[in-house]
Amino acid sequence: MSDSERDALMTQPTVFAPGEDKLSEQALRALSPQDMLWRHGSVSGLSEALIMMVDDEMLNIEMTQAFLVEAGYKHFVQTDRPEQAVAMMRQHMPGVLLLDLSMPRVSGLDILATLRDDSVLRHLPVIVLTSSTDPQVKLRALAMGAMDFLSKPVDPSELGLRIRNTLAASAYREYLSHHDVLTGLPNKQRYRSEVAAVLSAAKSLGSAGALLHVGVDALGRINDALGRTVGDQLLQRVAKRLASCVQTEWGGELASERHNPTLYRFDGDEFAVIVPYMDGVTSAAAFINKLLEDTTVSFQRQRSPELFVTCSIGVSVFPADGLEPDLLMRNAGLALRHAKQAGPHRYEFFSPRFNEMAQSRLDLSAELRHAIGRDEISLLYEPRVELATGRVVAAGTVLRWKHASGRIIEGDELMDLAGSSEMDVALTDWLFDQMRAHVRTWRGAGLQPVPTGIKISMANLRPSDLGHLVDAAIVAGGMDPRTLSLELQQVGAIDNLHAREAAAMATLRRKGVRLSLDRFGTTASVGHLRKLACDEVKVDASFMHDLEKDATVQAMLLGIGDLARRLRLTCVACGVDTAAQASFLKKQGWDQAQGRLLGEPLTGLNFAAKWLTRSGKPQRVEIP
């Protein structure tokens, strides 16, 4: 091989980034729809297929059915009156039809002619069984749509194999009609039907969702410059990354009661994602941003710069942008076209108002990365009060971001933003540093700190890393672990913990640190109580908003309070802003509460001046 030939081979591009393993030949073959068909059990369930037999001799039918039962088939429908056969097929659509040709009154050829003219039945697989030896009859039957031909008397083994092969071919054809050959993903036809189902469910529930159309930027130029094979590999890789992103949202905040987010592939450079539920545009903005980032792939070529390929996304929101499938799909397509016209690696909403809201969310996520260094974030404390006595028994932390625009972002809104922008780890580290400094200041002034609840987002924080942060606070900050309560949010991210991570959570409790399930009743549920051993629940503040006028909310709070008592958990009500709310909770025997009625969030110095004492004796709040 010459040097020039060797150089030419070395400069062939690959769609895999440095350090990323190529898909093995086995893995690539697994992407083929035929392999997927067998792997997902479509063929393994052939014995469940309905087999219909039409023959004017009932004895032939009974013998054939006996053969098939012995071969493992279970479901049959039959008739020895051929004039009734087509009506029976429409009523019981079979997986395969075994049809005799030589029958009085209505022949098998007559039935084949009727099937050929029927828009639904024309696709029914037919195996002809006949004693005729006339080759012209056989050719005529095959020309009219019969898939296979068997001569009577039929050999049982051959019959079983012919039926199996016919059913497998039919299942494969059905699979191909609803799936993309290159990626194995559901195709545009399947997308259209499932959009209709999701919209119908959303209409009945009065909920919102979105369609995302994802296009690979400049795929045509890649195909022209590097070949269609490389372009196909690129599409497979993008499909794999999109699928990974979508699957992480199954059962999450973008899933509805009936549907999970689902990925599809159209022809050419386009994919689509159905988001069946979203609580406002901002809840989908982080997902859109993740799709954009994770679908950025690179070509690495010898002696050439690394080439990056990106995607663009168009979004239509229902019901605002329509409740008809074709209209909503067209609007998402228009939004994608506008996104690509504006430049690569970006998204556009069909509705300008939603586009502005999502853009604001993503801009805030980017700015949050610099907010800590600019001293724009403050750590505040609010008193937690024992309802029976009015004593201030603990404190809760509140993070507040005073944005340069003057907007205040705090509490759960800021925690959600940090989790979606992967800033929750850095924010938690900063929070512990601030709290250590405050505790040192309080003790230096001779004041006794109270137990403090620290809000922790688990969206991107592993329990083992959380353990290291707590250890640092205990060792370097001299904090008593018994005065720390970790108020865990986004606990869905730790539903399936590895043994090492689960052990890290257990270790925290053994050290005396209390674990609290925050935002209970909304993002945290009874199911999480079974999976995560904890000491208290903090009921989401949204329950307080409607307490005074909603009997259902009152009943739910009664149930939560009773559950907490039975499980011996401290039950804390958040967002208590009115005397009526406090009175209801106190009457029902709730343990603790926090909110504006009981004390505003204060800086470390102001909180110490108002609520801490040198003796450690708790201050009291007058509860109206």
Side-chain angles (χ1 to χ4, degrees):
M1 180 183 297
S2 68
D3 290 342
S4 60
E5 290 173 328
R6 186 178 294 107
D7 288 343
L9 287 176
M10 291 177 66
T11 57
Q12 290 299 308
T14 171
V15 296
F16 298 92
E20 183 176 26
D21 292 336
K22 294 184 180 182
L23 294 175
S24 65
E25 182 179 354
Q26 181 180 2
L28 282 170
R29 288 184 59 193
L31 286 172
S32 76
Q34 187 171 18
D35 285 346
M36 284 189 175
L37 175 71
W38 290 80
R39 192 166 67 250
H40 292 143
S42 300
V43 173
S44 63
L46 293 183
S47 62
E48 300 296 325
L50 178 65
I51 299 175
M52 183 172 184
M53 294 169 284
V54 180
D55 196 309
D56 62 325
E57 295 287 343
M58 183 55 71
L59 179 61
N60 290 338
I61 292 175
E62 291 173 350
M63 291 178 60
T64 302
Q65 181 168 327
F67 294 156
L68 294 175
V69 168
E70 188 174 347
Y73 295 96
K74 307 172 185 176
H75 307 292
F76 305 93
V77 60
Q78 65 278 117
T79 182
D80 59 353
R81 297 183 179 181
E83 65 274 15
Q84 298 178 358
V86 173
M88 291 178 66
M89 291 177 216
R90 293 192 176 112
Q91 185 179 1
H92 310 283
M93 185 64 176
V96 64
L97 170 64
L98 303 182
L99 179 64
D100 184 28
L101 286 187
S102 302
M103 296 181 290
R105 296 186 300 276
V106 177
S107 71
L109 292 176
D110 294 333
I111 291 175
L112 283 173
T114 302
L115 298 185
R116 186 177 59 182
D117 294 334
D118 189 287
S119 60
V120 176
L121 297 178
R122 71 175 58 164
H123 302 295
L124 174 61
V126 180
I127 300 177
V128 170
L129 308 179
T130 183
S131 56
S132 173
T133 57
D134 185 350
Q136 293 301 317
V137 173
K138 294 182 178 181
L139 288 174
R140 188 178 174 192
L142 292 171
M144 296 178 70
M147 290 187 67
D148 209 342
F149 213 103
L150 279 174
S151 298
K152 294 181 178 180
V154 176
D155 177 82
S157 299
E158 184 179 6
L159 175 62
L161 287 173
R162 294 291 181 96
I163 288 179
R164 182 185 184 281
N165 290 343
T166 300
L167 287 171
S170 178
Y172 183 49
R173 183 177 62 192
E174 176 68 15
Y175 179 89
L176 288 179
S177 70
H178 293 286
H179 290 80
D180 169 57
V181 175
L182 180 67
T183 64
L185 293 171
N187 62 13
K188 192 170 186 176
Q189 179 179 342
R190 184 76 170 271
Y191 173 62
R192 181 177 283 106
S193 66
E194 293 189 9
V195 167
V198 168
L199 289 177
S200 176
K203 191 182 298 184
S204 65
L205 296 172
S207 58
L211 304 185
L212 316 181
H213 284 199
V214 184
V216 180
D217 296 325
L219 180 64
R221 287 191 311 211
I222 293 170
N223 286 334
D224 292 342
L226 304 174
R228 191 61 176 264
T229 300
V230 172
D232 286 348
Q233 286 182 336
L234 169 67
L235 287 169
Q236 287 177 334
R237 186 173 171 205
V238 169
K240 185 177 178 182
R241 291 192 171 197
L242 285 170
S244 178
C245 287
V246 171
Q247 287 171 0
T248 60
E249 297 298 327
W250 287 4
E253 63 178 5
L254 299 181
S256 68
E257 294 179 2
R258 306 178 193 173
H259 299 93
N260 279 309
T262 313
L263 175 65
Y264 306 83
R265 194 228 164 180
F266 301 166
D267 294 332
D269 67 353
E270 198 167 334
F271 298 84
V273 180
I274 298 178
V275 176
Y277 176 82
M278 62 180 194
D279 185 13
V281 175
T282 55
S283 66
F287 177 57
I288 295 168
N289 191 45
K290 184 172 177 58
L291 289 178
L292 284 174
E293 294 305 316
D294 284 8
T295 53
T296 299
V297 298
S298 62
F299 291 84
Q300 185 64 44
R301 296 180 293 172
Q302 192 76 10
R303 302 174 186 171
S304 297
E306 190 174 13
L307 175 63
F308 286 90
V309 177
T310 60
C311 289
S312 297
I313 299 177
V315 187
S316 61
V317 175
F318 56 85
D321 294 336
L323 270 173
E324 295 299 323
D326 288 341
L327 173 62
L328 203 61
M329 292 164 59
R330 183 168 67 249
N331 289 344
L334 288 171
L336 175 60
R337 187 186 310 167
H338 293 156
K340 287 196 169 190
Q341 289 172 349
H345 198 220
R346 60 180 296 143
Y347 70 88
E348 290 285 347
F349 276 78
F350 180 76
S351 300
R353 180 172 62 89
F354 291 154
N355 201 50
E356 292 171 4
M357 291 171 63
Q359 185 61 53
S360 173
R361 169 81 175 201
L362 296 181
D363 288 346
L364 284 173
S365 296
E367 292 178 38
L368 181 58
R369 298 181 180 277
H370 306 289
I372 295 175
R374 295 171 181 166
D375 292 328
E376 295 178 358
I377 297 179
S378 303
L379 175 59
L380 309 178
Y381 301 85
E382 63 178 337
R384 188 193 294 184
V385 176
E386 189 176 66
L387 287 167
T389 63
R391 296 187 307 164
V392 176
V393 294
T397 56
V398 178
L399 288 172
R400 177 178 291 172
W401 178 17
K402 188 173 182 180
H403 190 263
S405 65
R407 179 185 173 189
I408 301 296
I409 304 167
E410 66 180 16
D412 292 338
E413 182 185 5
L414 180 54
M415 296 300 293
D416 288 343
L417 185 63
S420 65
S421 59
E422 300 184 0
M423 277 296 294
D424 45 352
V425 179
L427 203 58
T428 301
D429 190 19
W430 176 87
L431 188 155
F432 273 106
D433 282 341
Q434 294 293 304
M435 188 172 171
R436 284 199 299 265
H438 290 162
V439 169
R440 283 196 298 268
T441 300
W442 296 342
R443 285 182 174 161
L447 301 173
Q448 296 297 318
V450 293
T452 304
I454 305 171
K455 289 189 179 296
I456 305 290
S457 169
M458 301 304 297
N460 302 289
L461 185 65
R462 294 182 302 180
S464 55
D465 294 331
L466 177 58
H468 294 320
L469 291 174
V470 172
D471 286 342
I474 294 171
V475 176
M479 299 178 67
D480 184 346
R482 293 169 298 179
T483 65
L484 291 178
S485 176
L486 305 180
E487 300 173 355
L488 306 179
Q489 299 188 355
Q490 303 293 341
V491 289
I494 57 173
D495 276 348
N496 300 304
L497 290 177
H498 294 299
R500 176 171 173 248
E501 298 298 328
M505 298 298 285
T507 299
L508 285 170
R509 294 190 77 212
R510 284 198 300 270
K511 291 178 179 179
V513 176
R514 291 172 61 84
L515 296 185
S516 174
L517 205 55
D518 200 14
R519 300 172 78 173
F520 188 76
T522 53
T523 58
S525 66
V526 174
H528 293 111
L529 282 176
R530 296 183 61 191
K531 298 176 183 178
L532 183 67
C534 61
D535 304 285
E536 68 180 27
V537 292
K538 295 192 67 181
V539 178
D540 192 81
S542 61
F543 283 88
M544 292 298 113
H545 298 162
D546 301 317
L547 172 63
E548 297 169 50
K549 57 184 178 182
D550 193 330
T552 300
V553 171
Q554 295 173 12
M556 292 174 71
L557 288 173
L558 290 175
I560 292 173
D562 184 58
L563 174 68
R565 281 189 291 272
R566 290 176 182 273
L567 296 178
R568 297 181 180 178
L569 301 174
T570 302
C571 196
V572 184
C574 299
V576 177
D577 296 337
T578 69
Q581 293 166 354
S583 176
F584 173 88
L585 295 169
K586 186 176 180 179
K587 183 178 179 181
Q588 301 305 325
W590 275 54
D591 300 316
Q592 300 174 14
Q594 61 188 62
R596 306 286 176 176
L597 175 73
L598 307 172
E600 296 278 345
L602 301 171
T603 64
L605 288 174
N606 291 337
F607 179 84
K610 185 169 184 178
W611 298 114
L612 300 185
T613 64
R614 285 184 166 82
S615 65
K617 184 179 179 180
Q619 299 275 36
R620 290 180 181 271
V621 174
E622 188 67 33
I623 301 177

